[in-house]
Amino acid sequence: MRVAIITQSFPPKKVTGAEKFSYELAKNLRKSRHDVLVLTNKSQFFNDIKCYKISFENSKIKRKLFRDYFNEKCLKEILKETENFKPDIIHINNFYGMGSKNIEELSKKYPIILTAHDYFPICYSATLFKENAKNKEPCICYFPLGRIHKKIMHRYLGSINIVSPSKFLYMKLFENGYRRLKLIQNGINVPKRKTSYKKKILFVGRLSKEKGLQTVTNSLNDLEDYKVSVLGEGPLKEELAS
């Protein structure tokens, strides 16, 4: 099978959840003897995986106003590379600055799978939080750009096959009118040598409000028999450490 993977970033430049997922997917597809093409923001070889550059919009202002929805240059570059590669399927991951309309256009020519790594299809800020929200205040997208964002996204992504890695995200997408959904939770690499059981809880991740660690800190502090360790950086680090 010939698989094209589209992701805004790819290791080693930036490694968050979506980028790591895309890399692991490409690596394991190659191990299974599938042909893989990665379209991202930089042309490079990374661990024998060939990546081709396409023009994601990097300016957040331009993205938010236009390029998250329409990016004609990016579409032309994707079509050029896919016409040469002739993929059996295209798997899209983070698509900030790529243009959601491009996904609909590609679906007219190729089978498409979109893995939703965050709330971007249904939330202008992609977090379900208001930009300056404190604690758990939800994003209700009442402001005009938020409502327009949701309508445009559903217009272009409503007919796309979307994979959700979590039940919560699955339900939120469903509540917002998406029906071509599949719940497939992210896998992990199981080490050959397993560690012994100890009463420890480890959180590893970015310390930001959308990760939700701040919502369970009181409960974690009440666990007298467990040692809780937090590993990560982010805007909530000082607040969580206090």
Side-chain angles (χ1 to χ4, degrees):
M1 181 178 286
R2 302 174 71 81
V3 182
I5 297 174
I6 299 178
T7 177
Q8 185 189 28
S9 298
F10 197 78
K13 183 178 180 180
K14 178 182 179 183
V15 183
T16 61
E19 288 76 33
K20 185 175 182 180
F21 173 90
S22 300
Y23 167 66
E24 291 291 333
L25 177 63
K27 181 179 70 174
N28 285 289
L29 284 171
R30 281 175 54 85
K31 282 184 178 180
S32 300
R33 300 187 181 280
H34 297 289
D35 293 327
V36 178
L37 169 73
V38 176
L39 301 176
T40 185
N41 60 0
K42 182 180 180 181
S43 295
Q44 63 176 3
F45 271 104
F46 181 73
N47 290 352
D48 295 326
I49 298 174
K50 178 63 177 176
C51 302
Y52 290 85
K53 180 180 179 180
I54 57 176
S55 297
F56 288 92
E57 178 59 62
N58 293 319
S59 167
K60 188 172 182 179
I61 295 176
K62 292 180 180 179
R63 268 189 44 227
K64 289 292 189 181
L65 292 177
F66 190 73
R67 295 302 184 190
D68 278 342
Y69 318 106
F70 311 100
N71 189 335
E72 186 177 355
K73 181 180 180 182
C74 186
L75 178 61
K76 289 180 179 178
E77 293 171 349
I78 294 172
L79 289 174
K80 177 183 176 181
E81 297 299 340
T82 53
E83 284 171 6
N84 293 330
F85 183 66
K86 295 179 172 57
D88 296 302
I89 193 167
I90 297 177
H91 188 165
I92 298 172
N93 293 276
N94 275 2
F95 57 98
Y96 299 109
M98 168 186 164
S100 55
K101 187 177 189 299
N102 291 350
I103 298 175
E104 184 192 52
E105 291 297 321
L106 290 170
S107 71
K108 297 175 183 177
K109 192 169 185 179
Y110 304 104
I112 300 288
I113 293 177
L114 169 65
T115 294
H117 294 280
D118 53 31
Y119 304 102
F120 190 46
I122 58 174
C123 177
Y124 187 67
S125 64
T127 63
L128 290 186
F129 286 87
K130 292 182 179 178
E131 288 290 346
N132 298 314
K134 296 181 179 179
N135 300 322
K136 298 183 292 182
E137 186 179 358
C139 174
I140 51 180
C141 286
Y142 280 167
F143 57 99
L145 286 177
R147 295 197 300 270
I148 294 170
H149 170 86
K150 292 172 72 173
K151 289 181 179 179
I152 294 176
M153 284 294 175
H154 191 270
R155 164 66 179 82
Y156 294 129
L157 304 181
S159 61
I160 302 299
N161 294 308
I162 299 179
V163 173
S164 170
S166 77
K167 293 180 181 179
F168 183 81
L169 174 56
Y170 181 100
M171 291 307 301
K172 287 297 181 182
L173 289 167
F174 188 85
E175 289 170 5
N176 281 271
Y178 290 89
R179 293 296 181 264
R180 304 189 67 171
L181 300 172
K182 185 72 173 180
L183 174 64
I184 303 178
Q185 295 175 326
N186 291 336
I188 60 172
N189 294 319
V190 179
K192 294 180 179 179
R193 182 180 178 183
K194 296 182 180 180
T195 58
S196 59
Y197 173 77
K198 295 181 180 180
K199 289 189 173 183
K200 293 183 178 180
I201 297 175
L202 173 65
F203 174 90
V204 181
R206 184 159 46 91
L207 304 180
S208 55
K209 58 183 180 294
E210 64 269 20
K211 298 299 181 181
L213 182 60
Q214 74 280 4
T215 67
V216 296
T217 50
N218 290 335
S219 297
L220 292 175
N221 290 332
D222 291 337
L223 296 176
E224 298 179 356
D225 295 335
Y226 284 79
K227 179 181 179 182
V228 180
S229 299
V230 175
L231 179 62
E233 296 288 339
L236 294 184
K237 183 175 182 178
E238 184 176 342
E239 176 184 331
L240 292 170
S242 61

PDB file of all heavy atoms in Angstrom, residues 2 34 36 39 56 66 75 104 119 147 176 179 187-188 207 224 241:
ATOM      1  N   ARG A   2       0.412   2.258  -0.661  1.00  0.00           N
ATOM      2  CA  ARG A   2       1.130   3.529  -0.724  1.00  0.00           C
ATOM      3  C   ARG A   2       0.358   4.554   0.105  1.00  0.00           C
ATOM      4  O   ARG A   2      -0.794   4.869  -0.199  1.00  0.00           O
ATOM      5  CB  ARG A   2       1.275   3.985  -2.173  1.00  0.00           C
ATOM      6  CG  ARG A   2       2.000   2.967  -3.045  1.00  0.00           C
ATOM      7  CD  ARG A   2       2.012   3.359  -4.498  1.00  0.00           C
ATOM      8  NE  ARG A   2       2.882   4.502  -4.732  1.00  0.00           N
ATOM      9  CZ  ARG A   2       4.208   4.416  -4.851  1.00  0.00           C
ATOM     10  NH1 ARG A   2       4.812   3.239  -4.767  1.00  0.00           N
ATOM     11  NH2 ARG A   2       4.923   5.493  -5.073  1.00  0.00           N
ATOM     12  N   HIS A  34       5.238  -1.019   3.532  1.00  0.00           N
ATOM     13  CA  HIS A  34       4.388  -0.102   2.773  1.00  0.00           C
ATOM     14  C   HIS A  34       5.234   1.083   2.309  1.00  0.00           C
ATOM     15  O   HIS A  34       6.215   1.457   2.960  1.00  0.00           O
ATOM     16  CB  HIS A  34       3.227   0.397   3.633  1.00  0.00           C
ATOM     17  CG  HIS A  34       2.294  -0.684   4.081  1.00  0.00           C
ATOM     18  ND1 HIS A  34       1.447  -1.332   3.220  1.00  0.00           N
ATOM     19  CD2 HIS A  34       2.083  -1.232   5.309  1.00  0.00           C
ATOM     20  CE1 HIS A  34       0.739  -2.228   3.880  1.00  0.00           C
ATOM     21  NE2 HIS A  34       1.105  -2.197   5.152  1.00  0.00           N
ATOM     22  N   VAL A  36       5.780   4.984   1.929  1.00  0.00           N
ATOM     23  CA  VAL A  36       5.303   6.119   2.721  1.00  0.00           C
ATOM     24  C   VAL A  36       5.860   7.424   2.162  1.00  0.00           C
ATOM     25  O   VAL A  36       7.058   7.533   1.880  1.00  0.00           O
ATOM     26  CB  VAL A  36       5.705   5.978   4.202  1.00  0.00           C
ATOM     27  CG1 VAL A  36       5.237   7.197   5.004  1.00  0.00           C
ATOM     28  CG2 VAL A  36       5.113   4.703   4.801  1.00  0.00           C
ATOM     29  N   LEU A  39       4.392  14.600   3.885  1.00  0.00           N
ATOM     30  CA  LEU A  39       4.317  15.989   3.448  1.00  0.00           C
ATOM     31  C   LEU A  39       4.212  16.859   4.688  1.00  0.00           C
ATOM     32  O   LEU A  39       3.257  16.746   5.462  1.00  0.00           O
ATOM     33  CB  LEU A  39       3.107  16.200   2.539  1.00  0.00           C
ATOM     34  CG  LEU A  39       3.081  15.342   1.273  1.00  0.00           C
ATOM     35  CD1 LEU A  39       1.785  15.571   0.500  1.00  0.00           C
ATOM     36  CD2 LEU A  39       4.279  15.633   0.392  1.00  0.00           C
ATOM     37  N   PHE A  56       2.624  25.166   4.499  1.00  0.00           N
ATOM     38  CA  PHE A  56       1.742  25.519   5.602  1.00  0.00           C
ATOM     39  C   PHE A  56       1.960  26.990   5.944  1.00  0.00           C
ATOM     40  O   PHE A  56       3.100  27.481   5.905  1.00  0.00           O
ATOM     41  CB  PHE A  56       2.068  24.679   6.842  1.00  0.00           C
ATOM     42  CG  PHE A  56       1.670  23.239   6.750  1.00  0.00           C
ATOM     43  CD1 PHE A  56       2.566  22.286   6.291  1.00  0.00           C
ATOM     44  CD2 PHE A  56       0.407  22.824   7.128  1.00  0.00           C
ATOM     45  CE1 PHE A  56       2.211  20.953   6.203  1.00  0.00           C
ATOM     46  CE2 PHE A  56       0.033  21.497   7.055  1.00  0.00           C
ATOM     47  CZ  PHE A  56       0.938  20.552   6.592  1.00  0.00           C
ATOM     48  N   PHE A  66      -7.553  33.344   7.558  1.00  0.00           N
ATOM     49  CA  PHE A  66      -7.777  32.849   6.202  1.00  0.00           C
ATOM     50  C   PHE A  66      -7.183  31.472   5.929  1.00  0.00           C
ATOM     51  O   PHE A  66      -7.870  30.553   5.489  1.00  0.00           O
ATOM     52  CB  PHE A  66      -7.202  33.869   5.203  1.00  0.00           C
ATOM     53  CG  PHE A  66      -7.566  33.598   3.777  1.00  0.00           C
ATOM     54  CD1 PHE A  66      -8.854  33.830   3.324  1.00  0.00           C
ATOM     55  CD2 PHE A  66      -6.630  33.124   2.888  1.00  0.00           C
ATOM     56  CE1 PHE A  66      -9.209  33.594   2.001  1.00  0.00           C
ATOM     57  CE2 PHE A  66      -6.962  32.872   1.563  1.00  0.00           C
ATOM     58  CZ  PHE A  66      -8.252  33.114   1.111  1.00  0.00           C
ATOM     59  N   LEU A  75      -2.372  23.449  -1.663  1.00  0.00           N
ATOM     60  CA  LEU A  75      -3.080  22.414  -2.409  1.00  0.00           C
ATOM     61  C   LEU A  75      -2.326  22.044  -3.679  1.00  0.00           C
ATOM     62  O   LEU A  75      -2.204  20.853  -4.012  1.00  0.00           O
ATOM     63  CB  LEU A  75      -4.489  22.890  -2.752  1.00  0.00           C
ATOM     64  CG  LEU A  75      -5.331  21.912  -3.579  1.00  0.00           C
ATOM     65  CD1 LEU A  75      -5.540  20.602  -2.833  1.00  0.00           C
ATOM     66  CD2 LEU A  75      -6.669  22.539  -3.965  1.00  0.00           C
ATOM     67  N   GLU A 104     -11.200  18.650   1.649  1.00  0.00           N
ATOM     68  CA  GLU A 104     -12.348  18.265   0.835  1.00  0.00           C
ATOM     69  C   GLU A 104     -11.947  18.066  -0.616  1.00  0.00           C
ATOM     70  O   GLU A 104     -12.382  17.103  -1.267  1.00  0.00           O
ATOM     71  CB  GLU A 104     -13.445  19.336   0.929  1.00  0.00           C
ATOM     72  CG  GLU A 104     -14.702  18.941   0.164  1.00  0.00           C
ATOM     73  CD  GLU A 104     -15.667  20.099   0.003  1.00  0.00           C
ATOM     74  OE1 GLU A 104     -15.232  21.173  -0.459  1.00  0.00           O
ATOM     75  OE2 GLU A 104     -16.849  19.913   0.327  1.00  0.00           O
ATOM     76  N   TYR A 119      -9.134  19.784  19.381  1.00  0.00           N
ATOM     77  CA  TYR A 119     -10.513  20.194  19.114  1.00  0.00           C
ATOM     78  C   TYR A 119     -10.628  21.182  17.958  1.00  0.00           C
ATOM     79  O   TYR A 119     -11.648  21.852  17.815  1.00  0.00           O
ATOM     80  CB  TYR A 119     -11.108  20.813  20.386  1.00  0.00           C
ATOM     81  CG  TYR A 119     -11.027  19.890  21.575  1.00  0.00           C
ATOM     82  CD1 TYR A 119     -10.043  20.071  22.546  1.00  0.00           C
ATOM     83  CD2 TYR A 119     -11.904  18.834  21.726  1.00  0.00           C
ATOM     84  CE1 TYR A 119      -9.943  19.220  23.639  1.00  0.00           C
ATOM     85  CE2 TYR A 119     -11.833  17.974  22.814  1.00  0.00           C
ATOM     86  CZ  TYR A 119     -10.837  18.169  23.765  1.00  0.00           C
ATOM     87  OH  TYR A 119     -10.749  17.322  24.827  1.00  0.00           O
ATOM     88  N   ARG A 147     -17.930  31.177  15.689  1.00  0.00           N
ATOM     89  CA  ARG A 147     -19.086  30.578  15.013  1.00  0.00           C
ATOM     90  C   ARG A 147     -18.780  30.322  13.537  1.00  0.00           C
ATOM     91  O   ARG A 147     -19.150  29.285  12.980  1.00  0.00           O
ATOM     92  CB  ARG A 147     -20.298  31.492  15.156  1.00  0.00           C
ATOM     93  CG  ARG A 147     -20.797  31.650  16.597  1.00  0.00           C
ATOM     94  CD  ARG A 147     -22.212  32.208  16.625  1.00  0.00           C
ATOM     95  NE  ARG A 147     -22.290  33.510  15.991  1.00  0.00           N
ATOM     96  CZ  ARG A 147     -22.130  34.672  16.623  1.00  0.00           C
ATOM     97  NH1 ARG A 147     -21.868  34.685  17.923  1.00  0.00           N
ATOM     98  NH2 ARG A 147     -22.235  35.814  15.977  1.00  0.00           N
ATOM     99  N   ASN A 176     -21.345  18.042  17.593  1.00  0.00           N
ATOM    100  CA  ASN A 176     -21.242  19.150  16.646  1.00  0.00           C
ATOM    101  C   ASN A 176     -21.533  18.723  15.208  1.00  0.00           C
ATOM    102  O   ASN A 176     -21.161  19.423  14.261  1.00  0.00           O
ATOM    103  CB  ASN A 176     -19.865  19.794  16.741  1.00  0.00           C
ATOM    104  CG  ASN A 176     -19.737  20.721  17.929  1.00  0.00           C
ATOM    105  OD1 ASN A 176     -20.036  21.915  17.838  1.00  0.00           O
ATOM    106  ND2 ASN A 176     -19.311  20.185  19.066  1.00  0.00           N
ATOM    107  N   ARG A 179     -20.430  12.778  11.789  1.00  0.00           N
ATOM    108  CA  ARG A 179     -20.984  11.430  11.866  1.00  0.00           C
ATOM    109  C   ARG A 179     -20.038  10.352  11.351  1.00  0.00           C
ATOM    110  O   ARG A 179     -20.178   9.186  11.700  1.00  0.00           O
ATOM    111  CB  ARG A 179     -22.296  11.373  11.068  1.00  0.00           C
ATOM    112  CG  ARG A 179     -23.412  12.213  11.674  1.00  0.00           C
ATOM    113  CD  ARG A 179     -23.814  11.703  13.036  1.00  0.00           C
ATOM    114  NE  ARG A 179     -24.890  12.470  13.650  1.00  0.00           N
ATOM    115  CZ  ARG A 179     -24.693  13.456  14.519  1.00  0.00           C
ATOM    116  NH1 ARG A 179     -23.459  13.804  14.870  1.00  0.00           N
ATOM    117  NH2 ARG A 179     -25.721  14.100  15.036  1.00  0.00           N
ATOM    118  N   GLY A 187      -1.888   3.878  20.603  1.00  0.00           N
ATOM    119  CA  GLY A 187      -1.171   2.754  21.191  1.00  0.00           C
ATOM    120  C   GLY A 187       0.118   3.202  21.866  1.00  0.00           C
ATOM    121  O   GLY A 187       0.514   4.370  21.791  1.00  0.00           O
ATOM    122  N   ILE A 188       0.760   2.288  22.536  1.00  0.00           N
ATOM    123  CA  ILE A 188       2.042   2.555  23.182  1.00  0.00           C
ATOM    124  C   ILE A 188       3.015   1.436  22.835  1.00  0.00           C
ATOM    125  O   ILE A 188       2.610   0.329  22.464  1.00  0.00           O
ATOM    126  CB  ILE A 188       1.916   2.667  24.724  1.00  0.00           C
ATOM    127  CG1 ILE A 188       1.375   1.347  25.301  1.00  0.00           C
ATOM    128  CG2 ILE A 188       1.029   3.839  25.103  1.00  0.00           C
ATOM    129  CD1 ILE A 188       1.396   1.307  26.816  1.00  0.00           C
ATOM    130  N   LEU A 207       2.470  21.504  30.434  1.00  0.00           N
ATOM    131  CA  LEU A 207       1.703  22.024  31.568  1.00  0.00           C
ATOM    132  C   LEU A 207       0.885  23.235  31.126  1.00  0.00           C
ATOM    133  O   LEU A 207       1.241  24.388  31.366  1.00  0.00           O
ATOM    134  CB  LEU A 207       2.651  22.390  32.722  1.00  0.00           C
ATOM    135  CG  LEU A 207       3.566  21.257  33.198  1.00  0.00           C
ATOM    136  CD1 LEU A 207       4.450  21.721  34.343  1.00  0.00           C
ATOM    137  CD2 LEU A 207       2.744  20.044  33.613  1.00  0.00           C
ATOM    138  N   GLU A 224      -2.520   9.870  50.011  1.00  0.00           N
ATOM    139  CA  GLU A 224      -1.432   9.788  50.991  1.00  0.00           C
ATOM    140  C   GLU A 224      -0.454   8.655  50.706  1.00  0.00           C
ATOM    141  O   GLU A 224       0.734   8.752  51.010  1.00  0.00           O
ATOM    142  CB  GLU A 224      -2.022   9.614  52.394  1.00  0.00           C
ATOM    143  CG  GLU A 224      -2.891  10.804  52.839  1.00  0.00           C
ATOM    144  CD  GLU A 224      -3.469  10.590  54.217  1.00  0.00           C
ATOM    145  OE1 GLU A 224      -3.256   9.494  54.781  1.00  0.00           O
ATOM    146  OE2 GLU A 224      -4.145  11.514  54.726  1.00  0.00           O
ATOM    147  N   ALA A 241       3.114  24.238  40.789  1.00  0.00           N
ATOM    148  CA  ALA A 241       4.151  23.975  41.780  1.00  0.00           C
ATOM    149  C   ALA A 241       3.861  24.597  43.127  1.00  0.00           C
ATOM    150  O   ALA A 241       4.407  24.198  44.155  1.00  0.00           O
ATOM    151  CB  ALA A 241       5.506  24.490  41.261  1.00  0.00           C
TER     152      ALA A 241
END
